[in-house]
Amino acid sequence: MQKKKRKGLLITFEGPDGSGKTTIALKIAEWLQKKIDGRGPTKIFYTREPGGKNNVIAEDIRNILLNKIEYNITPMVETLLFAASRAQHVHDFIEPHLFKNHIVLCDRFIHSSIVYQGIGRNIGINIVKAINQFATNGIEPDITFVLMLKPTIGLKRIMNNTSREQNRLDKEKLALHNLVYQGYKKLIKKYPKKMIPINANQSINDVLKDIKPYIEKLIQQKKYHG
Ligand code: TYD
């Protein structure tokens, strides 16, 4: 049987904890919705990892990963659980939308596993990539925005944000967050066309201004209306 073609766009948002990805990804979704939704077959969908929109299995795994402080999860199991949650999310949500020519905005994806588990937990980049290649059926983002913010500033933001509960990974030592930050820098250097560093230490509007031209270029190439 011929393999179905993925026609949509997968745009991912990455960055250390506290870098403001979620706020930015939601605002980009709103902007794109106004620009594109309803003018053609293309629709915009926001989702986030670990977990995924209305995905019971992926959300249950998220709960284990982020909230069960009392579990002694090994780095290997942590890696596999992130990948398992991602596999269900890709199968149920991301891939069907990409087949339909939609634009999916995903708050964290494979690159989080590469830097947090591959580098931060020392599992190794290649093994994490291989596990995730299997989990995602080979799906890769079309573009990834990496909101860069020094871990000391990001962690301070989280401490000051009373509306956001701290999760198991936020509570990790600064050393892990430093490795994550350095890991993103490495990826940006290795994949300069697909991984775009964005200065997250500026106003929300300025962050949005830095991101939008890249998306405009991508949707022009895809000939989406807008
Ligand atoms: P979340 O509460 O979604 O916060 P954030 O706003 O920081 O994204 O927490 C997700 C945490 O899980 C975050 O510390 C990064 C971590 N993570 C991994 O370690 N590996 C992964 O593959 C993913 C998707 C997330």
Side-chain angles (χ1 to χ4, degrees):
M1 203 172 79
Q2 211 190 349
K3 234 184 156 188
K4 265 210 246 171
K5 211 170 162 237
R6 295 175 192 133
K7 300 176 284 186
L9 274 181
L10 176 61
I11 300 175
T12 60
F13 295 82
E14 292 280 351
D17 294 71
S19 57
K21 290 173 318 308
T22 308
T23 309
I24 297 298
L26 285 168
K27 284 198 181 288
I28 291 285
E30 216 178 286
W31 167 70
L32 273 177
Q33 250 145 17
K34 278 196 198 125
K35 202 177 163 66
I36 286 180
D37 249 4
R39 300 198 191 160
T42 302
K43 288 193 179 310
I44 316 298
F45 292 89
Y46 164 86
T47 185
R48 60 118 172 74
E49 291 203 342
K53 222 174 178 183
N54 305 327
N55 197 306
V56 180
I57 298 173
E59 286 290 317
D60 278 359
I61 299 175
R62 174 187 176 91
N63 188 32
I64 295 174
L65 281 164
L66 299 187
N67 302 328
K68 302 287 180 187
I69 310 246
E70 68 278 20
Y71 291 5
N72 197 6
I73 303 176
T74 70
M76 191 200 279
V77 172
E78 185 181 280
T79 306
L80 292 168
L81 284 178
F82 274 114
S85 145
R86 182 164 298 130
Q88 194 74 41
H89 186 207
V90 165
H91 174 270
D92 294 352
F93 187 83
I94 297 181
E95 202 167 40
H97 282 306
L98 296 183
F99 285 139
K100 282 188 195 150
N101 209 5
H102 293 164
I103 300 179
V104 179
L105 304 171
C106 191
D107 186 349
R108 294 199 181 282
F109 196 56
I110 288 184
H111 298 105
S112 284
S113 286
I114 295 177
V115 295
Y116 282 80
Q117 283 67 52
I119 298 174
R121 301 286 198 217
N122 208 16
I123 290 285
I125 292 179
N126 288 338
I127 185 95
V128 173
K129 271 192 188 163
I131 290 167
N132 277 280
Q133 174 110 25
F134 176 58
T136 60
N137 201 7
I139 282 187
E140 281 180 17
D142 293 275
I143 196 163
T144 301
F145 298 103
V146 191
L147 273 72
M148 291 302 276
L149 188 70
K150 289 210 175 99
T152 41
I153 308 177
L155 294 178
K156 225 183 251 163
R157 277 191 188 173
I158 291 173
M159 303 263 271
N160 293 336
N161 184 351
T162 45
S163 62
R164 180 192 186 281
E165 241 178 77
Q166 281 188 49
N167 65 47
R168 187 175 66 89
L169 282 126
D170 293 333
K171 289 183 179 146
E172 290 277 347
K173 297 200 174 58
L174 187 60
L176 173 78
H177 295 285
N178 279 326
L179 285 173
V180 164
Y181 182 69
Q182 294 306 330
Y184 278 125
K185 275 193 167 170
K186 257 189 223 162
L187 290 182
I188 288 163
K189 213 168 165 193
K190 201 162 172 203
Y191 306 103
K193 287 206 176 119
K194 286 213 160 176
M195 302 216 49
I196 315 296
I198 301 290
N199 173 12
N201 198 12
Q202 52 179 350
S203 72
I204 292 178
N205 271 345
D206 287 339
V207 172
L208 294 171
K209 249 189 233 161
D210 288 351
I211 293 177
K212 285 176 183 174
Y214 289 97
I215 299 186
E216 267 162 350
K217 198 170 155 199
L218 256 185
I219 58 185
Q220 249 169 24
Q221 283 167 357
K222 282 266 180 180
K223 298 198 171 30
Y224 288 136
H225 306 268

